[in-house]
Amino acid sequence: MRLLTIGAFARATGLSAKALRIYDDCGLLPPAAVDPHSGYRYYAPEQADRARLIAGLRRAGMPLAEIRTVCGLPPAAAAEALDAWWRRVSADTAARGRAVALLVDTLSERGTTMSETIFRYATRCETGTVRDSNEDTAYASAALLAVADGVRGPAGSTASAEAVDALRPLEQTDESQADLLAALADAVSRADRAVRAHATDADQPATTLTALVRRGTRLALVHVGDSRAYLLRGGELSRLTQDHTYVQTLVDQGRLTPAEAGSHPQRALLARALGAGAEVEADLALRTALPGDRYLLCSDGLSAVVEPGALHAALTEADDPESAVERLVELAYAAGAPDNIACVVADLAA
């Protein structure tokens, strides 16, 4: 059997001689032979695949003890073990990320108190040019921004108003950061029950809900449906929510492109809403706000007809929330305003 020197084997596998000595010392990749006089290591060519596998697992961050286990398995079982390990690592990374985010929020909050920041805000809620009634609700205060889009007939306006009203007790409370999310989850459950209370045999109203609850520079976000929240920070516009729609599900599955989703005939079909389905499932998140941030909450009567670039320009160019709201509504009407339009713009000012 032809053996390779450690240098030749290192070149063949793309590894360093130092790495090969480490793998030998820990018993992961012993050489095929060792010169009894010089101690020089020699490797068999068929050891190359195992060497590359070990190196790949090390680059992925797998501990040597687990690499030993994976390398001792048949290929299919090794693939399953690797996948299971990565799922554990991903879950742990996500948990650490949440812990870091909470610490960042806490440290950021120490430099700015509730009394040092305020929301300056403006709201508009328009029927549009096609609808006979307005089922949207827009609301803003020093502690709460909210937009809700009622669906399924005249009761939709009641549903959207009930959803926002269920959050209003949070304006008067002062929960800790952790308690705030729990209180927000309870409020969403109350909103869901309130909407369902208006259901009849002939009609079951439902509504979207997107809201931000402020505690100083901490923001708690709740989102159900296809209303949206945006953040303008440092000239960059980012979306804080993901649509809970049938079409977005197809995009997530790779069955539609975002461009195809925009013209899909069922793009407004909701996958989640208050008052619909077995129970409410809301997205909840904590964020850190910075003085100078500008927030936009809106129903799809705005976001579905006004391109992101135009939203960005309107929010960037407006001197204050009132001017921004005015411009956004103008853009919706210029695009035909086929749906109700609800929007809230708020600036966090020191």
Side-chain angles (χ1 to χ4, degrees):
M1 178 176 63
R2 183 178 64 87
L3 298 180
L4 301 175
T5 65
I6 189 171
F9 189 72
R11 289 191 295 274
T13 57
L15 303 174
S16 67
K18 179 180 179 181
L20 291 172
R21 286 192 288 270
I22 292 172
Y23 298 157
D24 178 17
D25 292 342
C26 66
L28 276 174
L29 188 65
V34 178
D35 188 293
H37 301 293
S38 66
Y40 213 67
R41 296 171 173 87
Y42 294 88
Y43 293 85
E46 54 267 27
Q47 290 182 284
D49 286 343
R50 182 181 177 92
R52 295 189 187 101
L53 174 59
I54 294 170
L57 294 173
R58 286 297 292 156
R59 285 194 297 272
M62 180 177 282
L64 292 173
E66 295 200 51
I67 290 177
R68 184 176 292 106
T69 300
V70 171
C71 288
L73 298 173
E80 291 181 3
L82 177 57
D83 182 64
W85 170 78
W86 182 246
R87 289 178 183 274
R88 294 195 304 272
V89 170
S90 298
D92 181 61
T93 300
R96 284 185 287 164
R98 289 191 292 270
V100 169
L102 289 174
L103 288 172
V104 169
D105 279 351
T106 300
L107 293 171
S108 299
E109 180 68 10
R110 288 175 183 172
T112 311
T113 65
M114 179 86 167
S115 61
E116 293 174 333
T117 60
I118 60 172
F119 263 151
R120 295 194 175 98
Y121 52 82
T123 69
R124 284 282 294 274
C125 198
E126 298 279 331
T127 301
T129 61
V130 175
R131 299 293 182 88
D132 295 328
S133 59
N134 194 342
E135 281 78 53
D136 287 3
T137 297
Y139 178 83
S141 71
L144 173 64
L145 313 175
V147 163
D149 182 356
V151 297
R152 297 179 187 161
S157 59
T158 302
S160 65
E162 292 270 16
V164 173
D165 285 345
L167 301 185
R168 294 189 62 179
L170 296 177
E171 295 175 290
Q172 309 303 323
T173 56
D174 190 23
E175 294 89 355
S176 67
Q177 181 169 268
D179 292 340
L180 180 57
L181 279 184
L184 190 54
D186 289 341
V188 172
S189 295
R190 289 196 304 272
D192 187 52
R193 291 193 296 271
V195 172
R196 291 176 190 274
H198 293 281
T200 65
D201 292 338
D203 186 25
Q204 182 178 353
T207 184
T208 71
L209 177 63
T210 300
L212 289 168
V213 181
R214 185 175 75 87
R215 293 291 179 273
T217 56
R218 288 193 298 259
L219 296 178
L221 168 70
V222 60
H223 171 64
V224 185
D226 65 350
S227 297
R228 293 182 178 180
Y230 294 86
L231 164 63
L232 180 69
R233 174 180 288 174
E236 297 292 327
L237 183 67
S238 57
R239 221 171 95 188
L240 305 182
T241 55
Q242 178 168 309
D243 295 344
H244 299 147
T245 59
Y246 168 69
V247 167
Q248 183 60 49
T249 300
L250 297 180
V251 173
D252 294 340
Q253 295 171 350
R255 297 165 61 186
L256 279 182
T257 67
E260 291 170 335
S263 58
H264 196 282
Q266 292 182 299
R267 60 186 177 277
L269 180 61
L270 294 174
R272 288 196 231 167
L274 296 178
E279 60 180 297
V280 64
E281 182 182 357
D283 292 343
L284 297 170
L286 282 170
R287 301 189 60 86
T288 298
L290 299 176
D293 284 351
R294 174 166 286 179
Y295 293 89
L296 165 66
L297 277 62
C298 64
S299 63
D300 65 340
L302 177 67
S303 60
V305 297
V306 180
E307 294 295 325
L311 291 179
H312 186 194
L315 292 169
T316 302
E317 295 167 4
D319 293 331
D320 51 50
E322 291 79 6
S323 300
V325 163
E326 186 71 25
R327 179 57 182 154
L328 291 169
V329 171
E330 287 177 359
L331 290 171
Y333 274 105
D339 198 354
N340 302 152
I341 309 155
C343 65
V344 175
V345 173
D347 293 347
L348 187 67

